[in-house]
């Protein structure tokens, strides 16, 4: 199977390197100094599960240079999906499968606006990782996991085959029977990233301070209530489980959105707390904490995108 990793950052770089290490045919899409480092020296992965390096990698900047991959794993930021989907469409064959691992709940829908829906899966990943320096991926926390499934909730041979590939590479993977619900579960969790950004805290600082812990729980509850209104089937005790999971994160860790906001880079705020606010208005659900987080970050987001 020919695999393309579009976006070789903390997510795509880690999972792509694992697939290469297991002997799979992988082509990376990256940019800038990171791309040069991959082309010249391969990828170094520093991981809490053990460091490793893969060399002699195929990497390019242009999606259109990939020749009809069988599986495309998308590791780009959520807001970049709209920018690249036309180029993705150009390199597909009729059975190519696209697996988006973006934060938020819109990736599959945005892909399907330009690409035949039968080529698109639903997916998510769990990992705390980042580009430490060009060509170096640092896996900081959480057991790296990919959860994916058919959008119509069917169990097909193609997803079983992809699952076997992931497991052959030592990647923990799960075939979801309801990928919409699983994507929403992660969406609820990841929206804490914006609260980290505005409170200028790590996960440890946020959860260990009574006042910010209460804000965190309130933010999660708002999105949980929104999910119920939207008809997503999530268990009634999910918020408690989410808080317990966040309590396991390394105390000094943050998230990619948090770091992007702090570094004055474009972020996924529109696809996280911004989406909560917009869907809340659509469904008549009050989301005051998410609205506060979104509103605080928005001026910096506009500056980062050169719009102010």
């Amino acid at each position: 199977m020919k695999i393309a990793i579009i976006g070789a950052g903390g997510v795509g770089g880690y999972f792509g390197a694992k697939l290469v290490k297991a002997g799979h045919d992988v082509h990376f899409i990256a940019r800038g100094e990171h791309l040069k480092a991959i082309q010249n020296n391969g990828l170094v992965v520093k991981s809490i599960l053990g460091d490793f390096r893969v060399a002699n990698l195929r990497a390019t900047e242009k999606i259109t240079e990939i020749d009809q991959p069988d599986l495309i794993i998308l590791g780009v930021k959520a807001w970049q999906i709209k920018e690249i989907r036309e180029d993705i469409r150009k390199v597909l064959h009729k059975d190519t499968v696209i697996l988006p691992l973006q934060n938020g709940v819109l990736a599959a829908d945005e892909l399907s606006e330009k690409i035949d829906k039968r080529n698109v899966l639903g997916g998510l990943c769990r990992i705390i990782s980042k580009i430490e320096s060009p060509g170096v991926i640092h896996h900081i926390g959480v057991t790296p996991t990919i959860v994916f499934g058919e959008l119509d909730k069917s169990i097909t041979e193609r997803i079983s085959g992809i699952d076997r590939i992931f497991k052959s590479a030592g990647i923990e993977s799960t075939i979801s029977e309801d990928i919409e619900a699983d994507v929403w579960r992660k969406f609820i969790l990841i929206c804490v990233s914006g609260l980290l950004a505005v409170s200028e805290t790590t996960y440890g600082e946020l959860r260990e301070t009574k006042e910010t812990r209460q804000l965190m729980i309130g933010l999660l509850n708002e999105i949980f209530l929104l999910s119920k209104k939207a008809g997503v089937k999530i268990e009634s005790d999910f918020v408690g489980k989410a808080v317990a999971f966040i309590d396991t994160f390394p105390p000094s860790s943050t998230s990619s959105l948090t770091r992007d906001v702090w570094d004055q880079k474009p972020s996924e705020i529109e696809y996280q707390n911004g989406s909560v606010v917009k869907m809340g208005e659509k469904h008549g659900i009050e989301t005051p904490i998410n609205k506060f987080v979104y509103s605080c970050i928005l001026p910096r987001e506009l500056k980062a995108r050169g719009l102010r």
Side-chain angles (χ1 to χ4, degrees):
M1 178 177 281
K2 294 170 60 177
I3 302 170
I5 305 288
I6 300 180
V11 170
Y14 177 86
F15 290 117
K18 290 285 285 185
L19 289 164
V20 170
K21 188 169 180 280
H24 293 290
D25 181 5
V26 181
H27 198 141
F28 293 87
I29 300 295
R31 295 183 299 182
E33 293 302 313
H34 189 51
L35 170 61
K36 292 178 184 177
I38 294 171
Q39 290 172 329
N40 295 329
N41 305 307
L43 275 169
V44 173
V45 176
K46 296 181 179 179
S47 171
I48 57 173
L49 300 178
D51 301 345
F52 66 94
R53 177 176 178 266
V54 289
N56 302 315
L57 304 183
R58 289 187 300 154
T60 183
E61 186 174 25
K62 296 182 179 179
I63 294 171
T64 50
E65 292 181 358
I66 303 172
D67 183 26
Q68 295 191 322
D70 303 304
L71 171 63
I72 297 176
I73 298 175
L74 298 182
V76 297
K77 300 291 187 181
W79 51 270
Q80 293 175 309
I81 290 290
K82 286 185 176 181
E83 296 177 359
I84 65 173
R85 58 190 180 181
E86 284 288 357
D87 282 344
I88 291 173
R89 185 178 60 80
K90 293 174 184 176
V91 302
L92 305 180
H93 61 74
K94 66 181 181 65
D95 295 320
T96 300
V97 181
I98 305 169
L99 175 55
L101 299 179
Q102 281 59 50
N103 293 320
V105 294
L106 301 178
D109 287 342
E110 289 187 346
L111 286 167
S112 299
E113 288 172 1
K114 298 293 183 180
I115 296 168
D116 193 320
K117 196 168 186 176
R118 68 184 181 87
N119 294 106
V120 181
L121 299 178
L124 63 95
C125 67
R126 300 187 185 101
I127 186 172
I128 299 177
S129 57
K130 63 181 180 179
I131 299 175
E132 182 177 89
S133 60
V136 180
I137 304 297
H138 190 186
H139 165 221
I140 304 161
V142 181
T143 300
T145 306
I146 295 176
V147 180
F148 65 105
E150 298 284 359
L151 298 176
D152 64 3
K153 303 180 184 180
S154 62
I155 304 298
T156 60
E157 177 53 37
R158 69 178 184 176
I159 60 171
S160 297
I162 294 168
D163 187 54
R164 289 192 293 270
I165 286 172
F166 288 153
K167 287 181 166 55
S168 76
I171 296 171
E172 187 167 314
S173 62
T174 301
I175 295 175
S176 173
E177 295 181 358
D178 187 347
I179 193 60
E180 179 188 34
D182 283 327
V183 166
W184 267 84
R185 289 184 183 97
K186 183 182 178 183
F187 178 56
I188 295 171
L189 270 167
I190 201 67
C191 284
V192 173
S193 303
L195 186 56
L196 294 177
V198 298
S199 60
E200 298 187 356
T201 59
T202 63
Y203 276 111
E205 293 165 341
L206 185 81
R207 71 196 184 210
E208 291 162 14
T209 304
K210 182 180 71 173
E211 289 80 3
T212 50
R213 187 178 182 87
Q214 288 174 342
L215 279 175
M216 177 183 76
I217 294 171
L219 179 147
L220 295 171
N221 271 309
E222 287 177 5
I223 313 172
F224 173 74
L225 292 175
L226 177 60
S227 74
K228 303 303 286 184
K229 187 70 173 182
V232 183
K233 296 178 180 178
I234 298 178
E235 61 273 24
S236 60
D237 62 347
F238 176 74
V239 171
K241 292 179 180 177
V243 173
F245 185 47
I246 290 171
D247 283 340
T248 70
F249 293 178
S252 63
S253 64
T254 54
S255 75
S256 59
L257 179 144
T258 308
R259 295 187 294 272
D260 285 342
V261 172
W262 290 347
D263 293 340
Q264 300 179 8
K265 296 178 180 178
S267 76
E268 294 182 328
I269 190 62
E270 291 290 347
Y271 285 84
Q272 294 188 30
N273 307 91
S275 290
V276 174
V277 172
K278 292 175 178 64
M279 288 187 286
E281 292 170 350
K282 174 183 176 181
H283 291 287
I285 298 292
E286 294 293 325
T287 58
I289 299 174
N290 281 276
K291 195 167 191 176
F292 172 77
V293 168
Y294 172 64
S295 299
C296 287
I297 293 176
L298 186 56
R300 282 181 280 185
E301 183 71 14
L302 294 173
K303 287 180 183 178
R305 294 181 180 276
L307 300 175
R308 177 171 292 182

